[in-house]
Amino acid sequence: MPRLLIVHHTPSPAMQELFEAVVEGANDPELDGVEVVRRPALGTTVTDVLEADGFILGTPANIGYISGALKHFFDTIYYPCLDATRGRPFGAYVHGNLGTEGAVKAVRDITTGLKWRPVVETVCLTGAPDGDARERCRELGATVAATLL
């Protein structure tokens, strides 16, 4: 069974709402046959990444960059997973109180280095999540999961 790994840093109610919407989309009943694994960024291991067939990354934008937790995740898995995960699909969501551009660029640059394949546009949000943001996150989760079938 293909495995989708959701790596997230969820330090706020807004990030929690987006995370829950992503998980809901990834677990859509029409996508039966995908195992969805959720891991906090600080607890995700090289083995978690090597055992996954695709990824969703969730991070707040902190002072114009990805969270330290997601940066730690990438620092931990980058070289051990570089060749083995090449070409795997991924999607991402980013929330910030100000701009998200730097965080989105960081995710794009690091995943480009890993040679992961984006399969959906990154969901970017500033301010409180609304119904549209939650729906975009549900679609993100469902889209990445569907690529694994």
Side-chain angles (χ1 to χ4, degrees):
M1 177 179 293
R3 178 176 291 171
L4 173 61
L5 176 62
I6 302 173
V7 179
H8 64 99
H9 184 215
T10 307
S12 68
M15 286 300 298
Q16 184 67 33
E17 279 188 63
L18 300 177
F19 171 68
E20 289 172 4
V22 166
V23 170
E24 181 182 332
N27 284 305
D28 186 304
E30 292 183 28
L31 299 172
D32 188 38
V34 175
E35 178 186 4
V36 178
V37 176
R38 302 173 278 182
R39 295 281 186 270
L42 290 174
T44 307
T45 67
V46 168
T47 301
D48 291 327
V49 174
L50 292 173
E51 290 178 348
D53 299 294
F55 313 98
I56 296 176
L57 310 167
T59 185
N62 292 334
I63 313 171
Y65 196 66
I66 59 177
S67 70
L70 194 66
K71 176 69 168 75
H72 175 77
F73 159 74
F74 281 130
D75 288 346
T76 301
I77 66 94
Y78 192 89
Y79 286 107
C81 297
L82 183 60
D83 292 326
T85 62
R86 187 177 305 243
R88 293 190 186 166
F90 84 95
Y93 61 100
V94 177
H95 176 269
N97 289 325
L98 299 171
T100 58
E101 300 84 4
V104 171
K105 181 183 181 318
V107 169
R108 183 180 60 241
D109 290 351
I110 296 166
T111 56
T112 296
L114 286 164
K115 298 196 178 11
W116 290 358
R117 181 174 46 93
V119 293
V120 64
E121 186 175 328
T122 299
V123 174
C124 299
L125 175 68
T126 55
D130 58 12
D132 178 62
R134 288 187 296 276
E135 182 57 31
R136 290 186 340 202
C137 282
R138 276 191 289 277
E139 289 174 8
L140 170 82
T143 299
V144 179
T147 65
L148 302 181
L149 294 175

